[in-house]
Amino acid sequence: MQSLEINAAIQVAKPRQEVFQAIIDPKKMSGYFISNGSATMEAGKEVTWQFPEFPDRFTVKVLKIVPDELVSFEWEGAKDHHLTVNIALTERPGNATLIKISEGKMDNNEAGIKWLKGNTEGWANFLACLKAYLEYNINLRTGGFDYLKKEG
């Protein structure tokens, strides 16, 4: 049975260093993705992320950081499954950056397909929000997922 893996990519019209900082710095990341994070991502550290739509906090174990090139971490990407996420940054012409994200792997079964659908949507959203934030200083998430909030 073939394993499932998420892959998503986008090009941003900003230099790699700026993109890298927007990914590892929770203050910057709160401008487009999370509501807050506990610390800057550094290899060997655990940080927590909170999203505006959910009361839960998500623990992220940072595996590897290569400045301006790679952010690798592990998180519970699916219930009871700790998965590795790699965010690779490649310099492109015109001072642009190609961002490639991979997450995985999971079995090709019902749980794996549910994860693949949900997290692929999530990473595509992350990339679109990152691009809007860096290029236009817009937070696309603001109000976008309020429908997911639990009614009091």
Side-chain angles (χ1 to χ4, degrees), residues 25-96:
D25 182 341
K27 289 181 181 79
K28 291 181 181 180
M29 195 182 271
S30 69
Y32 68 94
F33 190 56
I34 59 175
S35 56
N36 78 51
S38 63
T40 299
M41 296 177 82
E42 294 177 20
K45 262 185 146 175
E46 280 194 1
V47 299
T48 57
W49 290 344
Q50 185 162 10
F51 293 86
E53 307 83 23
F54 311 109
D56 306 338
R57 294 187 178 273
F58 296 84
T59 300
V60 174
K61 181 182 177 187
V62 184
L63 302 174
K64 185 176 183 180
I65 297 283
V66 179
D68 306 335
E69 292 181 22
L70 176 71
V71 176
S72 180
F73 63 88
E74 181 181 88
W75 72 340
E76 190 174 3
K79 185 167 175 42
D80 300 323
H81 290 18
H82 292 273
L83 302 169
T84 299
V85 175
N86 290 305
I87 305 173
L89 308 176
T90 305
E91 192 173 306
R92 300 285 298 154
N95 217 17

Side-chain angles (χ1 to χ4, degrees), residues 10-12 14 16 90-99:
I10 201 166
Q11 184 168 305
V12 175
K14 291 292 178 178
R16 277 193 312 176
T90 305
E91 192 173 306
R92 300 285 298 154
N95 217 17
T97 303
L98 176 61
I99 307 159

Side-chain angles (χ1 to χ4, degrees), residues 89-131:
L89 308 176
T90 305
E91 192 173 306
R92 300 285 298 154
N95 217 17
T97 303
L98 176 61
I99 307 159
K100 290 185 176 180
I101 298 176
S102 66
E103 180 182 6
K105 298 180 173 176
M106 292 216 12
D107 290 337
N108 189 353
N109 56 26
E110 188 175 335
I113 291 168
K114 180 180 177 186
W115 160 79
L116 184 73
K117 178 189 177 300
N119 285 28
T120 298
E121 289 173 358
W123 287 119
N125 180 266
F126 170 88
L127 289 170
C129 289
L130 175 60
K131 182 174 180 70

Side-chain angles (χ1 to χ4, degrees), residues 132-146:
Y133 171 75
L134 288 175
E135 292 182 6
Y136 304 102
N137 200 29
I138 297 169
N139 187 340
L140 291 179
R141 278 188 81 96
T142 301
F145 296 99
D146 284 354

